[in-house]
Amino acid sequence: AQKITQTQPGMFVQEKEAVTLDCTYDTSDPSYGLFWYKQPSSGEMIFLIYQGSYDQQNATEGRYSLNFQKARKSANLVISASQLGDSAMYFCAMREDNQGGKLIFGQGTELSVKP
Amino acid sequence: DAMVIQNPRYQVTQFGKPVTLSCSQTLNHNVMYWYQQKSSQAPKLLFHYYDKDFNNEADTPDNFQSRRPNTSFCFLDIRSPGLGDAAMYLCATSREGQGFRTDTQYFGPGTRLTVL
């Protein structure tokens, strides 16, 4: 079974609008972390935001926020006020603390921002 | 700025010719990871070093080896590259241990390997 599922292979958004990228996960470990990374065409994986399983509040980092719904096992990324430079591949990833530092990635969502 | 550096950014090798990719970091992180990312796929962990301890993933082919001579450097050796080894190779680091936020992995820019 997939541990991390990103159901949107591609998304389009108009510049300056908000967009939500979906991510659902599957784990039986009570202690885990969820991450979002951005990968532009250059290939570098850029860390965006982190949510711990015990965190009470949703994580926010500038224009990025993570909509964490633990009971539904979802960790959607919300990008507000999209910019052209946001066009990239976005990966959701999970770390299970009983598996050490290993990150398991979803298949990614390619976001295109239209002017 | 503290960072993760990978050299070279692009590497071309011939089928069966050994190749070494390098990663260095100025973050003073104690854990270093190597991921393989094939075209249009998610990154896949090959192995990692926790301090000096090497941890191999069960499905990593024997063709892939790694060395970590000191905290700052880590190398990926591909002994006999095949056409299927063409991929982006990503190095990442994190700080693990008591008292640290044992979470975020920071990635280098990657080395794109072509096998002819």
Side-chain angles (χ1 to χ4, degrees), chain A residues 43-83:
Chain A
E44 182 174 3
M45 295 286 274
I46 302 167
F47 166 71
L48 296 178
I49 198 166
Y50 161 80
Q51 181 85 41
S53 59
Y54 295 115
D55 292 345
Q56 295 296 311
Q57 296 196 338
N58 287 345
T60 60
E61 293 281 353
R63 293 187 299 112
Y64 304 107
S65 60
L66 199 152
N67 184 2
F68 181 47
Q69 297 189 42
K70 195 170 181 177
R72 295 179 60 185
K73 294 189 174 178
S74 75
N76 299 339
L77 176 70
V78 180
I79 306 174
S80 63
S82 297
Q83 302 172 356

Side-chain angles (χ1 to χ4, degrees), chain B residues 15-16 38 80-87 115-116:
Chain B
F15 182 94
K38 295 188 176 180
S80 182
L83 298 178
D85 297 327
V115 182
L116 299 178

Side-chain angles (χ1 to χ4, degrees), chain B residues 16-59:
Chain B
K17 185 175 181 181
V19 66
T20 295
L21 310 182
S22 103
C23 177
S24 64
Q25 52 120 346
T26 60
L27 297 162
N28 201 30
H29 285 173
N30 60 331
V31 188
M32 295 186 77
Y33 308 81
W34 280 104
Y35 289 84
Q36 179 192 61
Q37 185 181 22
K38 295 188 176 180
S39 183
S40 303
Q41 294 185 19
K44 180 176 175 297
L45 182 65
L46 293 173
F47 28 57
H48 73 278
Y49 274 94
Y50 190 118
D51 296 319
K52 295 181 180 179
D53 294 334
F54 178 69
N55 298 273
N56 200 26
E57 292 298 300
D59 55 356

Side-chain angles (χ1 to χ4, degrees), chain A residues 2-114:
Chain A
Q2 291 280 352
K3 289 242 178 184
I4 295 281
T5 303
Q6 294 181 251
T7 56
Q8 307 150 314
M11 290 277 287
F12 289 92
V13 65
Q14 205 69 35
E15 192 179 10
K16 299 181 185 176
E17 292 186 351
V19 63
T20 298
L21 307 184
D22 294 341
C23 174
T24 57
Y25 61 92
D26 183 26
T27 181
S28 56
D29 188 344
S31 181
Y32 54 90
L34 296 157
F35 304 80
W36 279 92
Y37 286 86
K38 172 184 178 182
Q39 188 176 40
S41 56
S42 60
E44 182 174 3
M45 295 286 274
I46 302 167
F47 166 71
L48 296 178
I49 198 166
Y50 161 80
Q51 181 85 41
S53 59
Y54 295 115
D55 292 345
Q56 295 296 311
Q57 296 196 338
N58 287 345
T60 60
E61 293 281 353
R63 293 187 299 112
Y64 304 107
S65 60
L66 199 152
N67 184 2
F68 181 47
Q69 297 189 42
K70 195 170 181 177
R72 295 179 60 185
K73 294 189 174 178
S74 75
N76 299 339
L77 176 70
V78 180
I79 306 174
S80 63
S82 297
Q83 302 172 356
L84 295 178
D86 293 335
S87 294
M89 184 72 84
Y90 288 80
F91 287 97
C92 179
M94 177 174 67
R95 168 204 167 106
E96 296 167 297
D97 286 351
N98 68 3
Q99 297 293 320
K102 179 177 179 177
L103 279 181
I104 302 167
F105 287 85
Q107 290 302 304
T109 295
E110 185 161 11
L111 178 67
S112 298
V113 180
K114 293 181 172 181

